[in-house]
Amino acid sequence: YEAFNRAALEKHEYWKGWTIQVPGGTPEHNIIIPRFTTLLTNLLDDLETDCTVFGSDQQIFISESRIVYPDIAVVVGDWQVDHYDRLRNPFLVVEV
């Protein structure tokens, strides 16, 4: 999966042995995501939390059978990635 996904022009998620192309967003989707990301980032900054907000280009390792590109992900504390640069310790994963 990882070699295929890195060579592909489009993003792909992995689910239980299947490789699934991630569709492009609608105009409404592309309005909601940056607004929600900004709102979430500002809220976490105002609360002075040790959180990092990631966008949709960050691949997330959920399990051996689930690897995704969510719209937004949040990590509390230090973020950890594997040798494929997949985020391994998300606290929150958001899909719109």
Side-chain angles (χ1 to χ4, degrees), residues 4-80:
F4 169 79
N5 190 49
R6 287 191 181 266
L9 297 177
E10 309 86 11
K11 292 189 283 188
H12 294 80
E13 295 184 340
Y14 181 79
W15 186 59
K16 296 184 179 180
W18 293 90
T19 300
I20 303 162
Q21 183 178 343
V22 177
T26 64
E28 294 82 7
H29 184 268
N30 288 309
I31 290 170
I32 292 168
I33 297 305
R35 289 180 179 177
F36 189 68
T37 302
T38 300
L39 178 70
L40 187 58
T41 301
N42 290 340
L43 174 66
L44 293 171
D45 286 348
D46 288 348
L47 294 174
E48 297 182 11
T49 63
D50 185 21
C51 295
T52 305
V53 178
F54 290 86
S56 63
D57 284 334
Q58 181 58 57
Q59 193 177 40
I60 308 292
F61 179 91
I62 304 287
S63 70
E64 292 293 334
S65 64
R66 190 75 172 131
I67 301 167
V68 299
Y69 285 97
D71 292 318
I72 303 168
V74 177
V75 171
V76 178
D78 294 333
W79 40 274
Q80 302 164 7

